[in-house]
């Protein structure tokens, strides 16, 4: 995930409960519960930069046409650790998009993504859990 370091979200990490695999991360006006991909206690509570990665549910994902572009980016949490929303694609690399939807998200898929390019808007839904890669140093 270091290749996506420039797209890390800045926010606040809360203390991690003993034995929990989830990070509590506040960014973009939302509190996200992220599966800790860096190991337990990789970063102390406080300000942090985290790459937020989600696996797209392609049935709930579509590239929006130019006829009716959205007026703003949205991000809503679904259950404990999934999201849906609408945002603008900033970067495309293989089977991943970087989408700005209140905060930068790296959204990936196992199958081919619909054709899209930076500047396109996308409506998306992720499968749980969202993943968090803490950047250190």
């Amino acid at each position: 995930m270091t290749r996506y370091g420039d797209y890390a979200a800045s926010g606040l990490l809360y203390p991690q409960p003993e034995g929990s695999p989830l990070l509590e991360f506040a960014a973009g006006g939302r509190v996200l519960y992220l599966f800790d991909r860096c190991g337990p206690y990789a970063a102390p509570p406080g300000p942090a930069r985290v790459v937020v990665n989600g696996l797209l549910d392609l049935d709930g994902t579509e590239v929006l046409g130019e006829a009716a572009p959205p007026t703003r980016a949205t991000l809503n949490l679904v259950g404990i650790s999934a999201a849906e929303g609408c945002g603008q694609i900033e970067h495309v690399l293989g089977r991943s998009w970087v989408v700005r939807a209140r905060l930068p998200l790296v959204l990936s898929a196992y199958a081919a993504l619909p054709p899209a390019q930076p500047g396109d808007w996308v409506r998306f839904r992720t499968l749980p859990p969202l993943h968090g890669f803490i950047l250190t140093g």
Side-chain angles (χ1 to χ4, degrees), residues 18-43:
E18 186 68 35
S20 174
L22 295 180
L23 297 168
E24 190 174 4
F25 180 61
R30 300 288 184 258
V31 176
L32 307 170
Y33 292 92
L34 309 173
F35 184 73
D36 185 353
R37 297 305 303 257
C38 295
Y41 320 114

Side-chain angles (χ1 to χ4, degrees), residues 5-82:
D6 290 343
Y7 302 104
S10 295
L12 184 65
L13 276 176
Y14 289 97
Q16 194 168 355
E18 186 68 35
S20 174
L22 295 180
L23 297 168
E24 190 174 4
F25 180 61
R30 300 288 184 258
V31 176
L32 307 170
Y33 292 92
L34 309 173
F35 184 73
D36 185 353
R37 297 305 303 257
C38 295
Y41 320 114
R49 293 184 60 239
V50 177
V51 174
V52 178
N53 176 236
L55 182 62
L56 283 167
D57 176 353
L58 292 176
D59 289 336
T61 299
E62 66 176 314
V63 177
L64 303 174
E66 295 179 10
T71 57
R72 64 184 173 94
T74 61
L75 180 64
N76 299 303
L77 303 177
V78 179
I80 293 175
S81 187

Side-chain angles (χ1 to χ4, degrees), residues 71-120:
T71 57
R72 64 184 173 94
T74 61
L75 180 64
N76 299 303
L77 303 177
V78 179
I80 293 175
S81 187
E84 63 183 12
C86 181
Q88 194 167 29
I89 296 174
E90 292 187 355
H91 184 71
V92 176
L93 181 63
R95 292 185 179 164
S96 295
W97 293 329
V98 176
V99 175
R100 181 156 304 272
R102 296 185 63 102
L103 61 123
L105 303 167
V106 177
L107 302 176
S108 305
Y110 290 123
L113 293 168
Q117 59 188 358
D120 288 346

